[in-house]
Amino acid sequence: MEEISIKPYIHHAHYYETDQMGIIHHSNYIRWMEEARLDFMSQCGVPYKALEDMGIIIPVLSVSCQYRSMVHFDDCVEIRVKVVRYSGIKMELEYAFTNTKTGELTTTGTSAHCFLNREYRPMSLKKKFPEIDGRFRAMLTL
């Protein structure tokens, strides 16, 4: 399999994402994690839309976010995604948010997912889709 080079996802913070204090509302970080995850998967050659078209559904089992410093309107954050666990049935990702101007780590997070078929039953990608399984396994080393 060819070597995969992943670029971090960049999010430019919008005014509507702020709260009354002028900082990014905490709920938006979870959305940004999803944006970064979908971008990461596309860069790895497994775009989410293509997986859905194949009958693979990837629900979120859990999500967590740790806020280290504030992000404000008009800041840009670089979000790096890393696969930390993958079994063929479940996958866990880590996220690191860095302010592109200051280089400060602002936020970290994790999300856990599983793979289901169209009947919402767990599936093993290793058995059903070995090529896709190989791509996810390759992400473990990124």
Side-chain angles (χ1 to χ4, degrees):
M1 192 173 298
E2 75 277 3
E3 185 175 322
I4 301 170
S5 176
I6 302 298
K7 295 177 187 158
Y9 179 75
I10 305 293
H11 183 84
H12 186 198
H14 301 282
Y15 183 76
Y16 70 85
E17 295 173 312
T18 63
D19 61 16
Q20 193 172 10
M21 296 180 290
I23 59 174
I24 299 303
H25 189 269
H26 66 275
S27 65
N28 288 300
Y29 294 86
I30 305 302
R31 294 171 194 238
W32 298 356
M33 288 166 62
E34 180 175 288
E35 291 172 14
R37 179 173 63 252
L38 296 180
D39 179 70
F40 176 79
M41 289 173 62
S42 289
Q43 289 188 63
C44 292
V46 286
Y48 195 85
K49 176 70 171 129
L51 296 176
E52 281 189 336
D53 291 345
M54 297 170 69
I56 303 168
I57 302 164
I58 310 172
V60 175
L61 298 174
S62 66
V63 65
S64 70
C65 198
Q66 295 76 44
Y67 308 101
R68 297 170 176 256
S69 67
M70 295 178 237
V71 176
H72 298 86
F73 163 63
D74 207 32
D75 285 350
C76 285
V77 290
E78 174 184 282
I79 306 169
R80 294 189 178 274
V81 180
K82 180 180 177 185
V83 178
V84 292
R85 285 183 195 79
Y86 173 76
S87 69
I89 298 170
K90 290 184 180 180
M91 175 172 65
E92 187 176 323
L93 304 169
E94 286 182 350
Y95 306 83
F97 297 61
T98 305
N99 183 306
T100 61
K101 187 174 183 179
T102 66
E104 181 180 18
L105 180 67
T106 65
T107 314
T108 58
T110 62
S111 64
H113 308 266
C114 68
F115 301 95
L116 304 178
N117 63 22
R118 285 190 174 109
E119 290 76 40
Y120 305 109
R121 300 208 187 286
M123 68 162 35
S124 168
L125 293 183
K126 186 176 182 179
K127 292 178 184 175
K128 186 96 171 146
F129 297 99
E131 183 178 317
I132 295 169
D133 177 73
R135 290 219 173 248
F136 280 119
R137 288 188 191 285
M139 288 185 225
L140 274 167
T141 61
L142 297 180

